[in-house]
Amino acid sequence: MNELAISRARGRDVVSPATGQDRREAIQQALATAGLPQSQSLTDSDADRLAVVALRLRPVFDPEERIESRAEGLNQLLVRHAAVPNLHGHPDGQPVLAFHRADADLVDAWTSDAGTALAMVIGVGQAARLRSCEAGGCESVFFDTTRNASRRFCGLSCQNRAKASAYRARRAAETA
């Protein structure tokens, strides 16, 4: 989502990839950065479809959005991508729990699994952990894993920018 559906990150304007190839490369880079294997079957068309999904998922992380609206948006997405819990796997491996049909295409599989994960977070009363960065000039989203759900920024650079800005504002108020 942070690669495909935001226009500002870490205080700077960012240009979301506009073509399928650029989107595919951005997704592959994000997977690599997260330490996940790159998808060999991801096509430019899939990347375009995932960009649309990212835009539809973005409101789930908006704390200003009513929880009912977030839930309704997720429900629509889960229906559209045929999310259904089931066990499936490789012929020589153990079955795994997934939230997409065994024959689902890549976009439906990723969307169903991501949508279900977000729905589970909301469903167990943890919607407050789905956050947007509070630093000015940043639209990045994240899942707050801190013990007391107190994380406010997407990363250290935004936290440092916000703290420096607050310090400058205090200093200006003191001299005024």
Side-chain angles (χ1 to χ4, degrees):
M1 197 173 327
N2 289 336
E3 301 299 324
L4 302 175
I6 63 173
S7 60
R8 303 224 358 115
R10 294 175 292 289
R12 295 192 170 104
D13 291 335
V14 294
V15 178
S16 294
T19 67
Q21 179 180 354
D22 291 343
R23 289 175 176 148
R24 181 175 45 80
E25 290 171 2
I27 292 167
Q28 297 287 27
Q29 180 60 44
L31 290 171
T33 300
L36 299 170
Q38 293 189 359
S39 173
Q40 302 305 317
S41 60
L42 180 66
T43 66
D44 293 351
S45 175
D46 291 338
D48 287 337
R49 290 176 58 208
L50 286 169
V52 172
V53 169
L55 288 171
R56 289 191 177 134
L57 283 175
R58 181 67 177 85
V60 174
F61 290 85
D62 185 356
E64 303 298 318
E65 192 77 31
R66 288 184 25 250
I67 194 70
E68 295 83 8
S69 297
R70 294 197 251 177
E72 181 58 31
L74 270 176
N75 287 338
Q76 291 172 4
L77 189 91
L78 292 170
V79 168
R80 186 176 302 116
H81 292 276
V84 57
N86 66 85
L87 294 168
H88 64 267
H90 303 289
D92 58 346
Q94 290 290 325
V96 295
L97 177 62
F99 294 93
H100 61 274
R101 302 176 324 275
D103 63 343
D105 67 28
L106 182 75
V107 174
D108 285 341
W110 285 8
T111 303
S112 295
D113 290 350
T116 301
L118 292 171
M120 291 171 82
V121 168
I122 292 171
V124 297
Q126 296 295 312
R129 291 186 179 274
L130 301 174
R131 308 285 304 265
S132 294
C133 185
E134 292 182 20
C138 188
E139 300 171 353
S140 295
V141 298
F142 59 92
F143 178 72
D144 182 357
T145 59
T146 61
R147 183 176 295 201
N148 60 356
S150 61
R151 183 172 166 193
R152 298 177 44 214
F153 305 105
C154 65
L156 193 56
S157 63
C158 280
Q159 179 179 342
N160 289 341
R161 278 187 319 99
K163 286 183 176 184
S165 179
Y167 172 76
R168 286 191 297 271
R170 284 191 309 274
R171 296 289 293 185
E174 289 172 3
T175 60

